[in-house]
Amino acid sequence: MTSEMTGPVPNKGVLDIERYEPGKSKAPAGVTLHKLSSNETPLGASPRARAAITAAAAHPELYPDGQATALKQAIAEVHGLNPANILCGNGSDELLGLLCQTYLAEGDEAIHTEHGFLVYKIQIMARGATPVVAPETDARADVEAILGLVSPRTKMVFLANPNNPTGTYLPFDEVRRLQAGLPRHVLLVLDAAYAEYVRRNDYSAGIELVSQSGNVVMTRTFSKIHGLAALRIGWLYGPEAVIDAMDRVRGPFNLNALAIAAGAEAVRDRAFVDAAVEHNSHWLEWVTGELTALGLTVTPSVGNFVLVHFPDTTGKGAAEADAFLTQRGFILRRVAGYGFPNALRMTIGSEEANRGVVSALAEFLGAATR
Ligand SMILES: *Cc1c(COP(=O)(O)O)cnc(C)c1O
C-alpha cells in the first residue's frame, strides 16, 4: 500500500502504546461515592490556594507568566533551592514527557522497573525508544537488576520513589548506589510524587543527589498531598544544563495562571501539609492493620495508598472484591495493567471511607468463607 492509501502514519512506537486508564470515578446511583482510585487527598486543597484560584480567575483573558516565576520562587524558598534549577510543568506527567522528548530518540533505551508508574513506558514509546523492564524483588526496585540492564543504548532510568502502585521505597543509600553505578551520560529520573508522605529516616526525595550530580533530576507534584490535581502542577529539580534543554522544548505557557497562583500558596502552607501527613500516617497504619487482620496481604506502603492482594480462591479475588466495593460506593483501582491481576490499590481516604472499605471487605470475605 502507498502512504496515500493508508493516510498519515504516526511515529514508530505510537500505535504500540497501551492507553493509560485513569482511576474510575463512578458509583451506582443512590450510594455515596468514595473515590479511592487515583491517590487524591481526602482533605482538599489549602484555603490559601483556593483563594488564589478565585483571585486568578478574574483575568482569563491574560496569558500566564511563561516562566511561572511566582511558583518557582515559592518552591525555591520552601525547599531551599535555586530557582534556576527548577522547571515547572503541567503536572509532573508533562515533565516526564518533556524529559523523553528532550533526551530520547529512536534506537535509544530507557529503563523502568517491573511495577513502575505506567507513564514512563508510554512516554518512552512515544519517542520510538525502547522501554527496558528491570525486575523487582518483593515489589521493590532492585538496584543490581537495573544496573545489569544498562547497555550502550541506555539514555535514562526512571525510578518512582516511593513507587506507585506498590507503595514501596528505596532507602537513600540504595539510590546513591544506583546513581554511582550509572554512566555519566545516563539520566536518572527520581519521581518523588509521594515524597511528602514518607516518614522514614533512611528516605530522601533526592535533592542532595541532584545537587551533587550532573545526571540526576527529581520530579514532584501538587496533585497528591497539596490536593491540586485538577490544576495540573508539577516541578522538576535538576542541573542547569537539563533545565536549559527542557526549557527550549516545552510549550511557552505550559502552566496556566490559576495553577501558578494556587501552587505558590499551597507550597507555602506548611501547616496544611503537616496536617495531611498526620492524617495519612494515622490511617495508613490503621488500614494496613485492619486489612491484614482480615487475612489480606498488604504490601507495606509509605505513600497515601496501599496495594491489597486477594486470595486466589474462586469468588474472592480482586475482580469480585472490586465489584462488591463498587456496589457500596467505594471505588478502588484495578492494577492488572501494572502486573497485579489479583490486587486492588486503595487510596487512604477520609475516616468514613477507610472504615467503610474495611467493613465492606470484612463482609465480602466473611460471606465468601461461609
Ligand atoms: C500521581 C503520580 C504522579 C503525578 O502526576 P501529575 O501529572 O503531577 O498529576 C507522578 N508520578 C507518580 C508515580 C504518580 O503516582
Side-chain angles (χ1 to χ4, degrees):
M1 263 191 289
T2 67
S3 55
E4 247 170 280
M5 292 164 72
T6 56
V9 179
N11 289 338
K12 178 174 177 277
V14 169
L15 295 183
D16 297 324
I17 293 172
E18 278 177 51
R19 245 174 258 275
Y20 184 87
E21 294 259 0
K24 288 182 291 171
S25 52
K26 289 246 160 43
V31 299
T32 311
L33 169 72
H34 294 284
K35 187 181 177 213
L36 305 171
S37 58
S38 298
N39 296 347
E40 294 147 335
T41 175
L43 304 177
S46 153
R48 288 171 55 177
R50 298 168 67 101
I53 293 169
T54 308
H59 288 288
E61 75 282 12
L62 301 178
Y63 272 100
D65 169 15
Q67 302 300 324
T69 313
L71 178 56
K72 272 189 210 167
Q73 195 57 45
I75 293 167
E77 275 173 40
V78 168
H79 292 276
L81 307 173
N82 181 347
N85 293 99
I86 296 172
L87 186 75
C88 296
N90 190 243
S92 47
D93 283 349
E94 187 198 22
L95 295 166
L96 298 169
L98 273 176
L99 282 164
C100 293
Q101 230 182 309
T102 308
Y103 290 98
L104 293 182
E106 237 182 277
D108 291 338
E109 294 177 357
I111 300 172
H112 65 82
T113 64
E114 189 181 353
H115 304 295
F117 188 43
L118 284 173
V119 169
Y120 313 144
K121 185 178 171 189
I122 291 173
Q123 293 298 344
I124 295 163
M125 291 176 73
R127 305 308 306 159
T130 306
V132 175
V133 184
E136 296 178 2
T137 305
D138 296 333
R140 209 188 77 159
D142 181 328
V143 170
E144 296 313 318
I146 295 171
L147 290 176
L149 288 168
V150 174
S151 86
R153 291 170 183 266
T154 307
K155 286 279 184 67
M156 295 173 97
V157 173
F158 288 94
L159 180 73
N161 199 27
N163 184 51
N164 168 18
T166 54
T168 58
Y169 77 106
L170 273 194
F172 195 42
D173 57 352
E174 296 268 302
V175 179
R176 277 193 188 284
R177 199 154 64 80
L178 173 59
Q179 191 274 334
L182 291 174
R184 301 288 300 156
H185 67 274
V186 174
L187 183 60
L188 174 60
V189 180
L190 300 175
D191 178 347
Y194 301 95
E196 294 87 352
Y197 288 111
V198 186
R199 283 185 153 180
R200 292 287 190 283
N201 289 333
D202 60 355
Y203 173 79
S204 164
I207 285 178
E208 51 276 68
L209 193 58
V210 172
S211 306
Q212 294 159 3
S213 336
N215 66 335
V216 183
V217 297
M218 171 194 73
T219 60
R220 301 284 284 263
T221 183
F222 281 76
S223 301
K224 305 289 156 60
I225 202 150
H226 295 297
L228 294 172
L231 294 191
R232 316 302 306 121
I233 316 169
W235 59 282
L236 177 144
Y237 176 59
E240 256 171 83
V242 175
I243 302 293
D244 172 67
M246 294 176 72
D247 205 35
R248 294 167 194 256
V249 176
R250 72 174 173 92
F253 303 102
N254 60 334
L255 270 86
N256 68 73
L258 278 60
I260 295 169
E265 285 302 316
V267 74
R268 287 200 165 102
D269 194 343
R270 302 314 288 170
F272 183 87
V273 172
D274 291 347
V277 173
E278 264 325 306
H279 175 92
N280 190 67
S281 299
H282 174 78
W283 289 104
L284 174 67
E285 192 185 333
W286 186 85
V287 166
T288 304
E290 294 290 320
L291 294 182
T292 305
L294 290 178
L296 297 169
T297 304
V298 180
T299 303
S301 171
V302 295
N304 68 335
F305 56 91
V306 284
L307 185 63
V308 188
H309 306 266
F310 287 81
D312 288 326
T313 335
T314 321
K316 286 192 255 178
E320 290 87 355
D322 187 39
F324 189 92
L325 289 166
T326 298
Q327 280 307 311
R328 286 152 184 80
F330 302 107
I331 312 299
L332 276 61
R333 180 65 158 263
R334 295 291 313 268
V335 281
Y338 280 97
F340 295 109
N342 205 23
L344 295 176
R345 191 193 67 196
M346 171 190 172
T347 304
I348 300 302
S350 63
E351 171 170 359
E352 184 192 351
N354 299 332
R355 290 189 186 281
V357 170
V358 167
S359 318
L361 284 177
E363 195 187 327
F364 169 73
L365 293 165
T369 43
R370 232 160 265 146

PDB file of all heavy atoms in Angstrom, residues 74-96:
ATOM      1  N   ALA A  74       8.386  30.401  45.066  1.00  0.00           N
ATOM      2  CA  ALA A  74       7.822  29.790  46.286  1.00  0.00           C
ATOM      3  C   ALA A  74       8.438  28.417  46.550  1.00  0.00           C
ATOM      4  O   ALA A  74       8.818  28.098  47.682  1.00  0.00           O
ATOM      5  CB  ALA A  74       6.302  29.684  46.155  1.00  0.00           C
ATOM      6  N   ILE A  75       8.553  27.621  45.507  1.00  0.00           N
ATOM      7  CA  ILE A  75       9.153  26.278  45.658  1.00  0.00           C
ATOM      8  C   ILE A  75      10.602  26.412  46.119  1.00  0.00           C
ATOM      9  O   ILE A  75      11.053  25.704  47.029  1.00  0.00           O
ATOM     10  CB  ILE A  75       9.089  25.504  44.313  1.00  0.00           C
ATOM     11  CG1 ILE A  75       7.646  25.189  43.940  1.00  0.00           C
ATOM     12  CG2 ILE A  75       9.922  24.224  44.387  1.00  0.00           C
ATOM     13  CD1 ILE A  75       7.460  24.711  42.491  1.00  0.00           C
ATOM     14  N   ALA A  76      11.325  27.344  45.483  1.00  0.00           N
ATOM     15  CA  ALA A  76      12.745  27.549  45.801  1.00  0.00           C
ATOM     16  C   ALA A  76      12.909  27.939  47.268  1.00  0.00           C
ATOM     17  O   ALA A  76      13.778  27.415  47.975  1.00  0.00           O
ATOM     18  CB  ALA A  76      13.340  28.606  44.883  1.00  0.00           C
ATOM     19  N   GLU A  77      12.054  28.847  47.737  1.00  0.00           N
ATOM     20  CA  GLU A  77      12.140  29.301  49.128  1.00  0.00           C
ATOM     21  C   GLU A  77      11.852  28.166  50.111  1.00  0.00           C
ATOM     22  O   GLU A  77      12.597  27.946  51.056  1.00  0.00           O
ATOM     23  CB  GLU A  77      11.134  30.431  49.368  1.00  0.00           C
ATOM     24  CG  GLU A  77      11.682  31.795  48.979  1.00  0.00           C
ATOM     25  CD  GLU A  77      10.596  32.859  49.071  1.00  0.00           C
ATOM     26  OE1 GLU A  77       9.790  32.820  50.041  1.00  0.00           O
ATOM     27  OE2 GLU A  77      10.548  33.704  48.152  1.00  0.00           O
ATOM     28  N   VAL A  78      10.762  27.463  49.859  1.00  0.00           N
ATOM     29  CA  VAL A  78      10.344  26.423  50.803  1.00  0.00           C
ATOM     30  C   VAL A  78      11.355  25.270  50.857  1.00  0.00           C
ATOM     31  O   VAL A  78      11.627  24.726  51.920  1.00  0.00           O
ATOM     32  CB  VAL A  78       8.932  25.906  50.438  1.00  0.00           C
ATOM     33  CG1 VAL A  78       8.579  24.643  51.211  1.00  0.00           C
ATOM     34  CG2 VAL A  78       7.890  26.995  50.682  1.00  0.00           C
ATOM     35  N   HIS A  79      11.911  24.917  49.708  1.00  0.00           N
ATOM     36  CA  HIS A  79      12.834  23.776  49.666  1.00  0.00           C
ATOM     37  C   HIS A  79      14.309  24.179  49.713  1.00  0.00           C
ATOM     38  O   HIS A  79      15.183  23.307  49.668  1.00  0.00           O
ATOM     39  CB  HIS A  79      12.565  22.929  48.418  1.00  0.00           C
ATOM     40  CG  HIS A  79      11.248  22.214  48.450  1.00  0.00           C
ATOM     41  ND1 HIS A  79      11.078  20.995  49.075  1.00  0.00           N
ATOM     42  CD2 HIS A  79      10.028  22.563  47.976  1.00  0.00           C
ATOM     43  CE1 HIS A  79       9.806  20.622  48.952  1.00  0.00           C
ATOM     44  NE2 HIS A  79       9.149  21.551  48.296  1.00  0.00           N
ATOM     45  N   GLY A  80      14.571  25.485  49.798  1.00  0.00           N
ATOM     46  CA  GLY A  80      15.955  25.948  49.869  1.00  0.00           C
ATOM     47  C   GLY A  80      16.742  25.681  48.590  1.00  0.00           C
ATOM     48  O   GLY A  80      17.885  25.219  48.629  1.00  0.00           O
ATOM     49  N   LEU A  81      16.128  25.967  47.439  1.00  0.00           N
ATOM     50  CA  LEU A  81      16.765  25.679  46.153  1.00  0.00           C
ATOM     51  C   LEU A  81      16.977  26.957  45.347  1.00  0.00           C
ATOM     52  O   LEU A  81      16.371  27.990  45.624  1.00  0.00           O
ATOM     53  CB  LEU A  81      15.880  24.719  45.337  1.00  0.00           C
ATOM     54  CG  LEU A  81      15.444  23.426  46.033  1.00  0.00           C
ATOM     55  CD1 LEU A  81      14.441  22.670  45.162  1.00  0.00           C
ATOM     56  CD2 LEU A  81      16.654  22.553  46.335  1.00  0.00           C
ATOM     57  N   ASN A  82      17.808  26.853  44.320  1.00  0.00           N
ATOM     58  CA  ASN A  82      17.992  27.949  43.385  1.00  0.00           C
ATOM     59  C   ASN A  82      16.905  27.855  42.307  1.00  0.00           C
ATOM     60  O   ASN A  82      16.781  26.813  41.654  1.00  0.00           O
ATOM     61  CB  ASN A  82      19.385  27.815  42.755  1.00  0.00           C
ATOM     62  CG  ASN A  82      19.685  28.926  41.773  1.00  0.00           C
ATOM     63  OD1 ASN A  82      18.798  29.670  41.362  1.00  0.00           O
ATOM     64  ND2 ASN A  82      20.951  29.037  41.402  1.00  0.00           N
ATOM     65  N   PRO A  83      16.117  28.923  42.100  1.00  0.00           N
ATOM     66  CA  PRO A  83      15.034  28.860  41.107  1.00  0.00           C
ATOM     67  C   PRO A  83      15.538  28.499  39.701  1.00  0.00           C
ATOM     68  O   PRO A  83      14.781  27.954  38.895  1.00  0.00           O
ATOM     69  CB  PRO A  83      14.437  30.272  41.104  1.00  0.00           C
ATOM     70  CG  PRO A  83      15.001  30.975  42.276  1.00  0.00           C
ATOM     71  CD  PRO A  83      16.193  30.219  42.780  1.00  0.00           C
ATOM     72  N   ALA A  84      16.803  28.763  39.425  1.00  0.00           N
ATOM     73  CA  ALA A  84      17.359  28.446  38.098  1.00  0.00           C
ATOM     74  C   ALA A  84      17.435  26.932  37.862  1.00  0.00           C
ATOM     75  O   ALA A  84      17.593  26.491  36.731  1.00  0.00           O
ATOM     76  CB  ALA A  84      18.744  29.060  37.947  1.00  0.00           C
ATOM     77  N   ASN A  85      17.319  26.173  38.936  1.00  0.00           N
ATOM     78  CA  ASN A  85      17.375  24.715  38.808  1.00  0.00           C
ATOM     79  C   ASN A  85      15.989  24.071  38.810  1.00  0.00           C
ATOM     80  O   ASN A  85      15.866  22.855  38.951  1.00  0.00           O
ATOM     81  CB  ASN A  85      18.206  24.110  39.946  1.00  0.00           C
ATOM     82  CG  ASN A  85      19.657  24.490  39.836  1.00  0.00           C
ATOM     83  OD1 ASN A  85      20.114  25.412  40.517  1.00  0.00           O
ATOM     84  ND2 ASN A  85      20.379  23.835  38.956  1.00  0.00           N
ATOM     85  N   ILE A  86      14.945  24.917  38.691  1.00  0.00           N
ATOM     86  CA  ILE A  86      13.572  24.401  38.749  1.00  0.00           C
ATOM     87  C   ILE A  86      12.867  24.629  37.421  1.00  0.00           C
ATOM     88  O   ILE A  86      12.981  25.701  36.818  1.00  0.00           O
ATOM     89  CB  ILE A  86      12.795  25.111  39.885  1.00  0.00           C
ATOM     90  CG1 ILE A  86      13.426  24.774  41.243  1.00  0.00           C
ATOM     91  CG2 ILE A  86      11.315  24.711  39.865  1.00  0.00           C
ATOM     92  CD1 ILE A  86      12.849  25.576  42.398  1.00  0.00           C
ATOM     93  N   LEU A  87      12.148  23.611  36.972  1.00  0.00           N
ATOM     94  CA  LEU A  87      11.284  23.752  35.804  1.00  0.00           C
ATOM     95  C   LEU A  87       9.894  23.282  36.211  1.00  0.00           C
ATOM     96  O   LEU A  87       9.750  22.199  36.782  1.00  0.00           O
ATOM     97  CB  LEU A  87      11.801  22.896  34.639  1.00  0.00           C
ATOM     98  CG  LEU A  87      11.054  23.092  33.322  1.00  0.00           C
ATOM     99  CD1 LEU A  87      11.460  24.412  32.674  1.00  0.00           C
ATOM    100  CD2 LEU A  87      11.325  21.944  32.361  1.00  0.00           C
ATOM    101  N   CYS A  88       8.878  24.101  35.928  1.00  0.00           N
ATOM    102  CA  CYS A  88       7.513  23.717  36.283  1.00  0.00           C
ATOM    103  C   CYS A  88       6.821  23.085  35.077  1.00  0.00           C
ATOM    104  O   CYS A  88       7.145  23.372  33.933  1.00  0.00           O
ATOM    105  CB  CYS A  88       6.733  24.923  36.782  1.00  0.00           C
ATOM    106  SG  CYS A  88       7.429  25.601  38.313  1.00  0.00           S
ATOM    107  N   GLY A  89       5.855  22.229  35.354  1.00  0.00           N
ATOM    108  CA  GLY A  89       5.153  21.536  34.274  1.00  0.00           C
ATOM    109  C   GLY A  89       3.668  21.417  34.540  1.00  0.00           C
ATOM    110  O   GLY A  89       3.203  21.625  35.662  1.00  0.00           O
ATOM    111  N   ASN A  90       2.950  21.094  33.474  1.00  0.00           N
ATOM    112  CA  ASN A  90       1.512  20.889  33.535  1.00  0.00           C
ATOM    113  C   ASN A  90       1.264  19.493  34.129  1.00  0.00           C
ATOM    114  O   ASN A  90       0.957  18.533  33.424  1.00  0.00           O
ATOM    115  CB  ASN A  90       0.950  20.999  32.107  1.00  0.00           C
ATOM    116  CG  ASN A  90      -0.558  21.047  32.074  1.00  0.00           C
ATOM    117  OD1 ASN A  90      -1.215  20.173  31.537  1.00  0.00           O
ATOM    118  ND2 ASN A  90      -1.125  22.057  32.672  1.00  0.00           N
ATOM    119  N   GLY A  91       1.478  19.404  35.430  1.00  0.00           N
ATOM    120  CA  GLY A  91       1.525  18.110  36.098  1.00  0.00           C
ATOM    121  C   GLY A  91       2.915  17.537  35.902  1.00  0.00           C
ATOM    122  O   GLY A  91       3.632  17.924  34.976  1.00  0.00           O
ATOM    123  N   SER A  92       3.327  16.615  36.807  1.00  0.00           N
ATOM    124  CA  SER A  92       4.643  16.017  36.573  1.00  0.00           C
ATOM    125  C   SER A  92       4.589  15.096  35.363  1.00  0.00           C
ATOM    126  O   SER A  92       5.610  14.828  34.748  1.00  0.00           O
ATOM    127  CB  SER A  92       5.198  15.323  37.816  1.00  0.00           C
ATOM    128  OG  SER A  92       4.253  14.510  38.418  1.00  0.00           O
ATOM    129  N   ASP A  93       3.403  14.660  34.969  1.00  0.00           N
ATOM    130  CA  ASP A  93       3.277  13.879  33.732  1.00  0.00           C
ATOM    131  C   ASP A  93       3.881  14.629  32.543  1.00  0.00           C
ATOM    132  O   ASP A  93       4.552  14.034  31.708  1.00  0.00           O
ATOM    133  CB  ASP A  93       1.797  13.594  33.426  1.00  0.00           C
ATOM    134  CG  ASP A  93       1.221  12.488  34.303  1.00  0.00           C
ATOM    135  OD1 ASP A  93       2.004  11.809  35.000  1.00  0.00           O
ATOM    136  OD2 ASP A  93       0.000  12.308  34.293  1.00  0.00           O
ATOM    137  N   GLU A  94       3.627  15.930  32.466  1.00  0.00           N
ATOM    138  CA  GLU A  94       4.192  16.684  31.344  1.00  0.00           C
ATOM    139  C   GLU A  94       5.719  16.679  31.405  1.00  0.00           C
ATOM    140  O   GLU A  94       6.400  16.559  30.383  1.00  0.00           O
ATOM    141  CB  GLU A  94       3.702  18.145  31.315  1.00  0.00           C
ATOM    142  CG  GLU A  94       4.180  18.838  30.041  1.00  0.00           C
ATOM    143  CD  GLU A  94       4.157  20.363  30.068  1.00  0.00           C
ATOM    144  OE1 GLU A  94       4.178  20.966  31.152  1.00  0.00           O
ATOM    145  OE2 GLU A  94       4.139  20.952  28.977  1.00  0.00           O
ATOM    146  N   LEU A  95       6.247  16.805  32.618  1.00  0.00           N
ATOM    147  CA  LEU A  95       7.705  16.837  32.764  1.00  0.00           C
ATOM    148  C   LEU A  95       8.330  15.498  32.362  1.00  0.00           C
ATOM    149  O   LEU A  95       9.396  15.460  31.742  1.00  0.00           O
ATOM    150  CB  LEU A  95       8.066  17.190  34.210  1.00  0.00           C
ATOM    151  CG  LEU A  95       7.629  18.605  34.609  1.00  0.00           C
ATOM    152  CD1 LEU A  95       7.688  18.774  36.122  1.00  0.00           C
ATOM    153  CD2 LEU A  95       8.501  19.652  33.916  1.00  0.00           C
ATOM    154  N   LEU A  96       7.651  14.400  32.691  1.00  0.00           N
ATOM    155  CA  LEU A  96       8.147  13.075  32.304  1.00  0.00           C
ATOM    156  C   LEU A  96       8.173  12.964  30.775  1.00  0.00           C
ATOM    157  O   LEU A  96       9.120  12.445  30.187  1.00  0.00           O
ATOM    158  CB  LEU A  96       7.271  11.977  32.918  1.00  0.00           C
ATOM    159  CG  LEU A  96       7.243  11.946  34.458  1.00  0.00           C
ATOM    160  CD1 LEU A  96       6.157  11.011  34.972  1.00  0.00           C
ATOM    161  CD2 LEU A  96       8.606  11.534  35.015  1.00  0.00           C
TER     162      LEU A  96
END
